[in-house]
Amino acid sequence: MARPSFLPPFMFGLLFATFGVILSAKYSSITVDQSALLALKSHITHDPHNFLATNWSTSTSVCSWIGVTCGSRHHRVTALNLSSMDLTGTISSQLGNLSFLASLDIHQNSFHGTLPIELTNLRRMKYLDFGNNSFNGEIPSWFGCFSKLQRLSLYLNNFVGVIPSTLGNLSKLERLRLGWNQISGRIPNSLFKCKELKFLSLFNNSLEGSIPTEIGNLTLLETLDLGDNYFKGEIPSVIGNLTSLVIICLFNNNLTSEIPLVIGNLTSLRELYLGNNKLTGTISSQLGNLSFLAWLDIHQNSFLGSLPIELTNLRRMKYLDFGNNSFNGEIPLWFGCFSKLQTLSLYLNNFIGVIPSTLGNLSKLERLSLGGNQITGRIPNSLFKCKELKFLSLFNNSLEGSIPTEIEILTLLKTLGLGINHFKGRIPTPPPLLQFYGVSTNNLIGEIPSSICNLTSLVVMALHENNLEGTIPKCIGNLSSSLTAVFLWNNNFHGQIPENFAKGCMLRSLHINNNELEGSLPRSLGNCKALNLLDVGNNNLNDTFPSWLGNLDQLQVLILRSNRFYGQIESFDITVSLTKLRIIDLSHNNFSGYLPTLFFEHMHAIRDEYGKKVEPNYMREVKIMKDAHKIGVNYAYGLSVTVKGLERKFESLLSIWTVIDLSSNQFRGEIPKILGELHLLIVLNLSHNCLIGPIPSSLGNLSELESLDLSSNKLDGRIPTELKNLGFLAVLNLSQNNLKGPIPQGKQFDTFTNDSYIGNLNLCGLPLSKNCGTDEETPAKFDRDDDGDELNWKFSILMGYGCGLVLGMSMAYIVFTTGKPWWLIRIVERVRQRFAKR
Ligand SMILES: *[C@@H]1O[C@H](CO)[C@@H](O)[C@H](O)[C@H]1NC(C)=O
Ligand SMILES: *[C@@H]1O[C@H](CO)[C@@H](O)[C@H](O)[C@H]1NC(C)=O
Ligand SMILES: *[C@@H]1O[C@H](CO)[C@@H](O)[C@H](O)[C@H]1NC(C)=O
Ligand SMILES: *[C@@H]1O[C@H](CO)[C@@H](O)[C@H](O)[C@H]1NC(C)=O
Ligand SMILES: *[C@@H]1O[C@H](CO)[C@@H](O)[C@H](O)[C@H]1NC(C)=O
Ligand SMILES: *[C@@H]1O[C@H](CO)[C@@H](O)[C@H](O)[C@H]1NC(C)=O
Ligand SMILES: *[C@@H]1O[C@H](CO)[C@@H](O)[C@H](O)[C@H]1NC(C)=O
Ligand SMILES: *[C@@H]1O[C@H](CO)[C@@H](O)[C@H](O)[C@H]1NC(C)=O
């Protein structure tokens, strides 16, 4: 880095006179500098590489100390560079005695605390770099006294408050870096007096207001980085005057204008980042004037229209991201002219037509993302000339034909996303380095090719929703040291689930539901310690309850629905833990015996405070591979749970959903009281079993319960009035039992119709027509007709839920406009809200 030159001595007197600061030390002496540096050393609490410990010793001259530079004329310290030394400590106020200091660079250490005001004495300062430390407090306004300052760098600290307007006094300032702090407020107008500014970075702060038009005064500006703040309003057209600009970064703000046409004047521009704003309008032909432009990112805005042909002039283009806008028309043929292009991203737009074969000219292309458009036709063969392709996503279009066997020759390909299209035919041999293999939701037939066993880096295998058949290749277990998620649901696979999941298996989710698999669950799944979701529902599996699964203490979701599982689970091994289990669906099997009390006791995620402490998440993650390739995995994609007879399919599962569905089995005996301790339970379905005895009043403690189905059992006794405490209950079914006595009245109970109670001969009170007589609980207050009914449930939403009027109103609105069942919308909505609150 450049060392600043010496200051003429006469400046001293001038500065002192101007600011009235008197140095107590004799400025002509190097011993002043020595003691200032020793004071700094004494404030350093950790020096892991011993840079200063021995080297900064009084037995040698200060000027030979590490990081110290002295001027040749006065032999005083003029520059101090302690950057990247991993030092921890604070800045001693005596540093202000280094009166000849013109350059101070301590970036990339762990200095903390606030900056001492004594530093104002350093009037010769030209170059200050405090970046990448842990300083806090406000940015001192006395920085404005450093009239010679050319570079000020405070990025990556914990500075708060506003940008001091005194910085406007720094008439020599060329570079200002304040990014990655928590600076708020507006940019002070005075800053635009710093006419020498070439580099201005305020990235990742909390700045707000509009981008001031005074920015047009900074005519020397080369880098303007205001990204990741809260700027709103327009991109001022004065920006067209800043013809030296090379980099503009405004992404992650709330800008709402169009791109000003004058941007075409910025002929030096190389990088333009406008992504993730609310920018509108079309892309003007003027953009084609930026012949040096190599990076153009405008993703996630509201741009529309087609792309102007003038963009063909941008022959240096390497990175183009137009994703998540409303562009339409065909994908232009002239993209094929960008011979340097590495990334072309057009996902989530309204592009139609075919994939132009000219894309085959892009010999440098590494990432092609066209998902979420309305692209038709076949994959052009020319595409396989793009040998550098690592990422190819054509997901969610209307592509047809077979998947070309040439896909195999893209030997660098790591992500292949062809899901949700109309591909048919067989699955070709996949390229060997594949990490994400997605061909789901097509019309593919035949067996999984055995070549899949060569994919030793495979992380996600998504073949679900096709017409695939045959058996699941045995090697899947062998791949399990990398394989994390397997989606094979909704196919016609038969035979056994492979047995050989090895020790160290990394599998986190296995979805093989809705096939024709038979036999037992492989015991070797117990090697997959990270397993958090297992869905084998709707197959022909014939096994006992997998109590060995209990060792999987990450397991959150277990679905065995609609198989031929049998036997008792009450003898469940209590030495194992199910700390995280939140969703268990054993419905439609032949399980028998008593309900498993011990099992419930161990469901800590539903039972204890523990469940509340766990950060709710969507069971998805972006895995960053060793080679920096990113893979998004949505572990719960496509999972469905039955609520009121309707299957609710989750695009992504919020981990606070809690479900126990043991319905349609042969469980007998009483409902254990301990169920009342599963405080976080949302859905409980014990219907269609042979349960006897009373409904335990402890169920009244399930304060989060939304859906309770105990129908078609042999329960007797009264409905406990404690159930009135279930303030969220939207669905109740107690029908087809032997319950008797009065139906509790009030609160949620006013929202249930007689469907909830039919088939209990001795129940009485509203909504049944049978009256309870005099000695029974008070009957209802309303005469109901259809309108009254509707009024009542609306009323109860407003009264009973504590979510306030707004929710009640908006829910009613949703119900009437979408026609979906109101209670389902309400449950989903409220669970989402609870998530937001935590
Ligand atoms: C910007 O420049 C104009 C003309 O040079 C001047 O009048 C104005 O005061 C300047 N604004 C700022 C904030 O420096
Ligand atoms: C900029 O582009 C427009 C439209 O393409 C063109 O008319 C104009 O001459 C160009 N300006 C310059 C300076 O190249
Ligand atoms: C697309 O943009 C919208 C906002 O405009 C955002 O909510 C959504 O998450 C984006 N989708 C993707 C896949 O990035
Ligand atoms: C799986 O690995 C085992 C050894 O770890 C090997 O014996 C077996 O042949 C492999 N199976 C397949 C299908 O690759
Ligand atoms: C409970 O499960 C049965 C089938 O086992 C299903 O028909 C019913 O709809 C479920 N109840 C609710 C409220 O989802
Ligand atoms: C409900 O919970 C409270 C405390 O959480 C407890 O005192 C009470 O016994 C429980 N009621 C029933 C019926 O289990
Ligand atoms: C249930 O209520 C409806 C009208 O709300 C009525 O027509 C029906 O007869 C009732 N059924 C029983 C069993 O009470
Ligand atoms: C309650 O369950 C019975 C069968 O168990 C079913 O016929 C009825 O439709 C269900 N009622 C409601 C309101 O879901």
Side-chain angles (χ1 to χ4, degrees):
M1 85 195 35
R3 296 276 172 238
S5 58
F6 228 70
L7 296 175
F10 68 84
M11 288 298 289
F12 259 126
L14 189 62
L15 288 173
F16 289 173
T18 317
F19 296 96
V21 180
I22 308 296
L23 281 183
S24 56
K26 224 174 128 222
Y27 59 78
S28 60
S29 168
I30 186 79
T31 58
V32 173
D33 290 0
Q34 188 189 59
S35 53
L37 291 174
L38 289 176
L40 176 69
K41 178 179 170 181
S42 73
H43 280 71
I44 288 173
T45 54
H46 191 49
D47 176 8
H49 311 295
N50 281 324
F51 280 122
L52 310 186
T54 47
N55 185 283
W56 281 25
S57 124
T58 48
S59 60
T60 57
S61 154
V62 170
C63 296
S64 68
W65 289 4
I66 193 168
V68 176
T69 306
C70 291
S72 53
R73 265 168 65 199
H74 300 270
H75 292 282
R76 296 289 304 276
V77 175
T78 56
L80 182 59
N81 181 352
L82 303 180
S83 62
S84 307
M85 290 184 171
D86 295 332
L87 302 173
T88 305
T90 53
I91 298 295
S92 97
S93 59
Q94 274 155 288
L95 206 63
N97 294 347
L98 294 173
S99 47
F100 278 67
L101 198 67
S103 170
L104 175 57
D105 181 357
I106 56 168
H107 84 267
Q108 207 168 325
N109 284 291
S110 299
F111 284 105
H112 52 93
T114 54
L115 297 171
I117 190 162
E118 287 78 1
L119 296 187
T120 32
N121 298 334
L122 305 175
R123 296 302 162 92
R124 297 172 180 225
M125 195 58 76
K126 283 186 171 174
Y127 188 115
L128 261 185
D129 192 345
F130 291 156
N132 202 351
N133 279 288
S134 301
F135 289 113
N136 55 33
E138 305 208 344
I139 298 176
S141 57
W142 45 257
F143 274 134
C145 303
F146 296 136
S147 58
K148 303 211 168 328
L149 202 63
Q150 295 174 356
R151 294 176 171 209
L152 175 58
S153 178
L154 304 177
Y155 71 95
L156 262 179
N157 279 288
N158 302 316
F159 287 110
V160 295
V162 298
I163 300 176
S165 60
T166 52
L167 295 191
N169 301 339
L170 305 178
S171 58
K172 299 270 188 340
L173 196 65
E174 290 174 11
R175 295 174 68 87
L176 179 60
R177 297 184 71 181
L178 304 180
W180 304 97
N181 282 289
Q182 289 120 53
I183 305 170
S184 53
R186 290 158 176 263
I187 304 180
N189 260 339
S190 61
L191 199 63
F192 303 106
K193 293 198 286 175
C194 304
K195 292 234 165 61
E196 302 291 320
L197 263 185
K198 292 194 173 112
F199 184 103
L200 174 60
S201 172
L202 307 176
F203 186 80
N204 192 275
N205 279 293
S206 301
L207 293 162
E208 57 186 30
S210 52
I211 300 177
T213 52
E214 286 82 355
I215 204 154
N217 284 16
L218 304 179
T219 50
L220 302 180
L221 210 56
E222 294 170 4
T223 296
L224 172 63
D225 183 356
L226 307 181
D228 220 351
N229 279 290
Y230 300 111
F231 290 113
K232 57 177 200 266
E234 56 176 24
I235 303 177
S237 55
V238 290
I239 215 166
N241 302 341
L242 308 181
T243 50
S244 303
L245 274 172
V246 177
I247 299 177
I248 300 179
C249 173
L250 303 176
F251 79 67
N252 285 3
N253 279 293
N254 295 317
L255 301 171
T256 44
S257 64
E258 304 196 356
I259 300 180
L261 294 185
V262 289
I263 205 148
N265 299 345
L266 306 181
T267 47
S268 305
L269 204 62
R270 299 216 166 109
E271 302 177 22
L272 178 59
Y273 304 95
L274 303 177
N276 201 3
N277 278 289
K278 300 189 177 83
L279 297 167
T280 55
T282 56
I283 299 301
S284 73
S285 54
Q286 267 78 2
L287 219 58
N289 291 6
L290 307 179
S291 53
F292 282 96
L293 203 63
W295 290 70
L296 176 57
D297 173 8
I298 57 170
H299 84 275
Q300 205 160 321
N301 278 290
S302 303
F303 292 115
L304 41 83
S306 55
L307 300 172
I309 189 160
E310 285 79 4
L311 295 188
T312 28
N313 300 335
L314 307 179
R315 295 298 165 93
R316 293 168 198 251
M317 197 56 79
K318 281 187 175 167
Y319 182 100
L320 259 185
D321 191 350
F322 290 167
N324 206 353
N325 279 288
S326 300
F327 289 114
N328 56 30
E330 304 208 345
I331 298 175
L333 294 178
W334 45 256
F335 274 134
C337 304
F338 295 152
S339 58
K340 297 196 161 62
L341 202 63
Q342 294 172 354
T343 296
L344 176 59
S345 171
L346 306 177
Y347 70 94
L348 278 183
N349 278 290
N350 301 317
F351 287 109
I352 55 168
V354 300
I355 301 176
S357 60
T358 53
L359 294 191
N361 301 341
L362 304 178
S363 59
K364 299 268 185 350
L365 196 65
E366 293 181 10
R367 297 175 66 84
L368 178 60
S369 177
L370 305 180
N373 284 287
Q374 288 122 51
I375 303 171
T376 51
R378 292 163 173 260
I379 300 179
N381 265 333
S382 63
L383 205 60
F384 302 105
K385 292 198 286 175
C386 304
K387 292 269 167 40
E388 302 291 321
L389 268 180
K390 296 192 170 86
F391 179 102
L392 174 60
S393 170
L394 309 176
F395 175 77
N396 200 359
N397 278 292
S398 299
L399 292 162
E400 56 187 33
S402 55
I403 300 174
T405 52
E406 288 88 345
I407 202 95
E408 186 185 359
I409 64 182
L410 297 178
T411 51
L412 301 179
L413 202 63
K414 291 178 175 162
T415 291
L416 176 62
L418 304 180
I420 319 190
N421 277 292
H422 306 310
F423 290 117
K424 52 181 200 265
R426 291 171 179 271
I427 299 184
T429 297
L433 297 183
L434 222 48
Q435 294 172 351
F436 182 100
Y437 189 17
V439 297
S440 60
T441 321
N442 280 292
N443 303 316
L444 300 171
I445 56 166
E447 303 198 359
I448 300 181
S450 60
S451 51
I452 208 157
C453 297
N454 302 334
L455 304 183
T456 49
S457 307
L458 196 61
V459 177
V460 177
M461 178 195 286
L463 311 182
H464 54 274
E465 294 192 302
N466 278 295
N467 294 313
L468 299 171
E469 57 189 24
T471 55
I472 299 176
K474 292 220 163 41
C475 67
I476 282 196
N478 286 29
L479 299 176
S480 59
S481 63
S482 65
L483 202 56
T484 307
V486 175
F487 301 88
L488 299 177
W489 50 279
N490 277 27
N491 279 292
N492 307 315
F493 295 117
H494 66 261
Q496 305 240 356
I497 306 172
E499 171 55 68
N500 56 338
F501 293 92
K503 281 218 162 56
C505 161
M506 295 295 286
L507 204 60
R508 295 186 61 174
S509 76
L510 180 60
H511 303 245
I512 50 180
N513 47 299
N514 293 67
N515 280 290
E516 290 150 26
L517 298 167
E518 55 202 31
S520 50
L521 275 180
R523 300 299 184 261
S524 61
L525 269 178
N527 289 327
C528 308
K529 296 292 177 210
L531 197 67
N532 58 33
L533 189 153
L534 177 62
D535 187 352
V536 300
N538 295 77
N539 279 291
N540 301 318
L541 297 172
N542 191 343
D543 201 350
T544 54
F545 184 78
S547 47
W548 41 271
L549 273 178
N551 284 320
L552 304 178
D553 58 8
Q554 297 299 314
L555 197 66
Q556 294 186 43
V557 179
L558 174 62
I559 299 190
L560 307 181
R561 176 175 59 229
S562 295
N563 277 287
R564 286 188 261 140
F565 285 97
Y566 61 90
Q568 310 188 344
I569 42 178
E570 80 232 45
S571 56
F572 186 69
D573 178 358
I574 58 155
T575 59
V576 299
S577 95
L578 284 164
T579 324
K580 301 239 165 90
L581 198 61
R582 296 167 178 282
I583 296 190
I584 178 162
D585 184 349
L586 307 183
S587 64
H588 296 280
N589 278 292
N590 299 322
F591 287 115
S592 57
Y594 295 116
L595 289 177
T597 308
L598 285 172
F599 188 90
F600 297 137
E601 214 167 274
H602 283 77
M603 298 185 84
H604 295 286
I606 309 185
R607 200 175 149 209
D608 306 345
E609 283 307 299
Y610 171 86
K612 283 196 176 137
K613 284 190 204 119
V614 177
E615 188 72 15
N617 59 50
Y618 278 100
M619 292 183 78
R620 61 186 175 198
E621 66 173 339
V622 175
K623 285 179 79 85
I624 301 177
M625 309 303 292
K626 274 191 211 126
D627 52 10
H629 195 76
K630 286 186 200 160
I631 299 183
V633 197
N634 182 355
Y635 292 109
Y637 179 80
L639 192 75
S640 67
V641 175
T642 309
V643 191
K644 198 182 178 188
L646 290 188
E647 282 202 0
R648 164 142 178 78
K649 197 155 155 186
F650 291 85
E651 288 266 304
S652 184
L653 182 73
L654 193 54
S655 64
I656 57 171
W657 271 94
T658 51
V659 177
I660 295 180
D661 188 345
L662 307 184
S663 66
S664 297
N665 279 286
Q666 288 148 41
F667 289 112
R668 62 192 163 86
E670 302 200 356
I671 299 177
K673 289 192 185 54
I674 191 172
L675 271 175
E677 291 177 22
L678 302 178
H679 295 296
L680 302 176
L681 194 60
I682 293 177
V683 175
L684 177 61
N685 192 343
L686 303 177
S687 70
H688 299 273
N689 279 294
C690 313
L691 302 173
I692 56 169
I695 298 174
S697 59
S698 66
L699 294 191
N701 274 0
L702 297 178
S703 52
E704 309 273 332
L705 205 65
E706 309 258 357
S707 172
L708 175 62
D709 190 346
L710 304 178
S711 68
S712 296
N713 279 291
K714 296 179 182 122
L715 300 171
D716 54 32
R718 295 181 169 210
I719 302 174
T721 52
E722 284 83 355
L723 295 191
K724 280 164 66 175
N725 299 337
L726 304 179
F728 287 130
L729 199 65
V731 179
L732 174 71
N733 196 343
L734 303 178
S735 63
Q736 311 298 349
N737 279 293
N738 299 323
L739 298 168
K740 65 175 188 201
I743 293 171
Q745 301 292 318
K747 295 189 179 168
Q748 294 319 104
F749 276 82
D750 284 348
T751 66
F752 305 126
T753 61
N754 61 15
D755 296 346
S756 298
Y757 310 107
I758 47 174
N760 290 283
L761 291 181
N762 295 316
L763 279 178
C764 62
L766 285 178
L768 298 179
S769 44
K770 183 174 174 191
N771 222 308
C772 290
T774 46
D775 58 335
E776 301 285 5
E777 208 171 276
T778 341
K781 310 121 202 158
F782 298 107
D783 266 342
R784 291 179 186 233
D785 53 25
D786 275 338
D787 286 339
D789 226 351
E790 183 182 289
L791 209 96
N792 269 337
W793 68 253
K794 268 200 240 165
F795 179 73
S796 82
I797 296 170
L798 297 184
M799 296 303 293
Y801 291 88
C803 292
L805 189 67
V806 178
L807 175 66
M809 299 295 281
S810 63
M811 286 318 303
Y813 177 75
I814 294 170
V815 173
F816 296 131
T817 56
T818 66
K820 283 186 191 161
W822 57 269
W823 49 266
L824 179 58
I825 296 170
R826 206 165 70 193
I827 291 176
V828 172
E829 228 2 80
R830 199 168 38 230
V831 170
R832 201 176 287 146
Q833 288 203 351
R834 282 194 233 161
F835 164 62
K837 261 184 254 147
R838 284 197 196 151

